Amino acid sequence: MLLLIYLHHASYRRVMRFHDASGLAKIVRMLGKSYESQACSIARALEVVGERWSLLIVREALFGEATRYREFQRRLGIASNVLKTRLDGFVEAGIMRRQKSSEQPELYEYLLTDKGRALAPALVALSEWGDEWATEGEPPILYTHATCGNDVTQQTMCVHCGRVNGSTEIKAVIGPGHPSRAPLRGGG
């Protein structure tokens, strides 16, 4: 629930609006700084790429072919301390590798690994969602197949029949990696 607080002082001709952030503070306390308690691959992925700017950095590396620190900073307008933290985190998580530039050995390049390149379908899907629900007008960026030039789309499909007609046909079930399926410890 968002609570708006209106303040008006007799000396001002306009009303000032403030947002009550106590609800947001409760959410942050509830979630904490990590998702370790969540038995979900989405939560695990958010631990690695869920911070603000993270997916935009990956987008620039994947589709903008950015590899150098200054390229990421220039294209995104991101603060240098934030960029350094995100790049270091990607290297630690195995999403990128850091290597000396072959053209300028005093500089480093950040190159996507297979693990980092595997985020491409997720970025296309997120972009399609943004085109539909968060963008006014036409899509700002289109993704095309480099081989034939036609549009690329991300689809969800059943591995058996090939169809899924909307989110109401998708059901989440306990998987083999869920903690409830872990063998009991201590001889139980």
Side-chain angles (χ1 to χ4, degrees):
M1 180 174 111
L2 180 64
L3 173 66
L4 293 177
I5 302 171
Y6 291 92
L7 297 177
H8 180 72
H9 189 276
S11 64
Y12 293 111
R13 293 185 181 197
R14 64 185 174 97
V15 174
M16 295 170 51
R17 253 174 44 167
F18 295 91
H19 294 278
D20 178 9
S22 61
L24 181 60
K26 288 176 190 169
I27 290 170
V28 170
R29 268 196 311 268
M30 210 166 49
L31 291 176
K33 294 189 179 200
S34 74
Y35 301 103
E36 289 175 6
S37 65
Q38 297 291 311
C40 168
S41 293
I42 294 172
R44 291 175 187 156
L46 287 174
E47 286 288 332
V48 181
V49 295
E51 292 285 338
R52 185 174 182 189
W53 295 107
S54 292
L55 291 178
L56 297 177
I57 293 168
V58 173
R59 178 200 67 194
E60 288 302 318
L62 272 168
F63 305 118
E65 299 178 359
T67 59
R68 294 198 181 135
Y69 186 92
R70 290 196 191 272
E71 289 174 322
F72 290 112
Q73 194 172 33
R74 182 178 46 80
R75 292 178 187 185
L76 296 170
I78 184 174
S80 60
N81 62 325
V82 174
L83 179 58
K84 181 182 180 339
T85 300
R86 299 298 181 273
L87 290 173
D88 289 347
F90 286 159
V91 169
E92 184 179 325
I95 289 174
M96 289 182 153
R97 62 184 164 79
R98 184 177 181 236
Q99 73 178 31
K100 288 188 181 253
S101 170
S102 58
E103 297 170 7
Q104 293 177 298
E106 70 277 3
L107 299 177
Y108 287 94
E109 294 179 319
Y110 293 88
L111 304 171
L112 289 169
T113 62
D114 289 343
K115 185 177 184 179
R117 285 187 295 279
L119 287 164
L123 290 179
V124 170
L126 190 58
S127 183
E128 287 179 353
W129 182 90
D131 291 345
E132 178 72 23
W133 300 103
T135 301
E136 293 184 24
E138 296 296 316
I141 296 173
L142 297 174
Y143 296 95
T144 59
H145 186 212
T147 303
C148 73
N150 286 301
D151 290 345
V152 171
T153 187
Q154 186 60 39
Q155 299 177 347
T156 302
M157 62 185 342
C158 174
V159 296
H160 176 71
C161 68
R163 295 184 324 223
V164 173
N165 297 316
S167 62
T168 58
E169 291 188 7
I170 301 172
K171 183 171 103 173
V173 296
I174 301 289
H178 193 275
S180 67
R181 297 244 174 125
L184 295 175
R185 293 184 186 173

